[in-house]
Amino acid sequence: VESIFYSPATHREEANKAKKKFSSRYGDHLTYLYVYKAFVESKGDPTFCQNNFIHTKNMKKVMDIRKQLTRYMQQLNIEVESSCGKNHRLVRKCLLAAGYLNIAMRQAQSRNYRSLQHSVEVKIHPSSVIQELPSTKLPDFVLFNALMKTSEFYIRDLTVMEKEWLLEAGHAKFFRGKIPSSVSDVDEKKAVKNKGSSRFRTIVTA
């Protein structure tokens, strides 16, 4: 699904204010979840999308994908349980289980990050809600959906991750040796390249 937000040049300030109403301090994925819940509550009202600078067409695609996933689960006899509610930790841990290869670690005294899998320095994409945070509030670790290359590398669609989660049993082998004892040590250690392929997207643009 392409971006659910749009920001026309003539109404950029209004669009940014509208987006902030849904912003989560935990990143873009939870921001999207808040938009989805509000869209459902509005019963898909196009006026809701227009007032909040949200693509109605893209939100309908989101709904269609959710229905498809629900059908697949039913076909596999997997019980479709209720929402996570306000359990943000559960959502973030689910994202980590699927996308642990796409973790970036903040570089010392910088707003830049380093992809632990690709071992390249990256910047937060301007569209991310995390980009709005002051340097003192930036997380040490983020999970990203897409690695983009223009004149520089950018990571897009981010969720804040906790260091201790990366070192839990299911992920410890991958992250061992890649995460220093403190983030301030990051410039003294080089990330080891992993031979596994990313489960998320890498986008190369001109």
Side-chain angles (χ1 to χ4, degrees), residues 17-52:
K17 287 182 179 179
K19 184 177 180 179
K20 285 182 179 179
K21 291 190 298 184
F22 304 101
S23 293
S24 167
R25 65 189 179 94
Y26 293 114
D28 302 306
H29 295 101
L30 282 166
T31 297
Y32 301 149
L33 180 59
Y34 294 161
V35 172
Y36 166 80
K37 288 182 176 180
F39 181 76
V40 171
E41 288 178 3
S42 77
K43 298 181 179 179
D45 185 1
T47 302
F48 163 81
C49 292
Q50 182 178 354
N51 291 342
N52 290 286

Side-chain angles (χ1 to χ4, degrees), residues 76-142:
L76 295 170
N77 295 318
I78 300 174
E79 183 179 355
V80 181
E81 299 181 357
S82 61
S83 169
C84 62
K86 295 182 179 180
N87 191 344
H88 300 148
R89 179 179 294 259
L90 180 60
V91 176
R92 292 158 64 204
K93 280 198 165 188
C94 285
L95 290 169
L96 177 60
Y100 68 92
L101 294 178
N102 281 30
I103 294 293
M105 178 171 59
R106 188 180 175 191
Q107 300 299 279
Q109 300 179 341
S110 171
R111 292 186 64 86
N112 294 347
Y113 285 74
R114 179 170 294 276
S115 166
L116 295 185
Q117 180 194 9
H118 307 93
S119 192
V120 294
E121 190 163 313
V122 296
K123 293 186 176 182
I124 300 173
H125 194 272
S127 65
S128 175
V129 296
I130 293 179
Q131 178 66 7
E132 300 297 322
L133 296 175
S135 296
T136 55
K137 297 292 185 180
L138 285 175
D140 291 333
F141 297 93
V142 294

Side-chain angles (χ1 to χ4, degrees), residues 141-154:
F141 297 93
V142 294
L143 176 146
F144 58 92
N145 260 30
L147 173 64
M148 307 176 65
K149 183 180 180 182
T150 53
S151 57
E152 298 179 282
F153 284 101
Y154 288 89

Side-chain angles (χ1 to χ4, degrees), residues 156-199:
R156 195 180 72 185
D157 300 332
L158 313 179
T159 287
V160 177
M161 289 293 151
E162 307 300 330
K163 179 179 178 179
E164 57 267 27
W165 297 353
L166 309 182
L167 300 177
E168 290 176 353
H171 317 299
K173 184 177 179 180
F174 175 75
F175 291 111
R176 189 176 295 119
K178 299 184 180 185
I179 300 178
S181 57
S182 67
V183 177
S184 62
D185 295 335
V186 70
D187 288 332
E188 299 176 10
K189 294 189 177 183
K190 294 182 179 180
V192 179
K193 292 185 179 180
N194 183 272
K195 295 181 180 179
S197 60
S198 170
R199 300 185 186 188

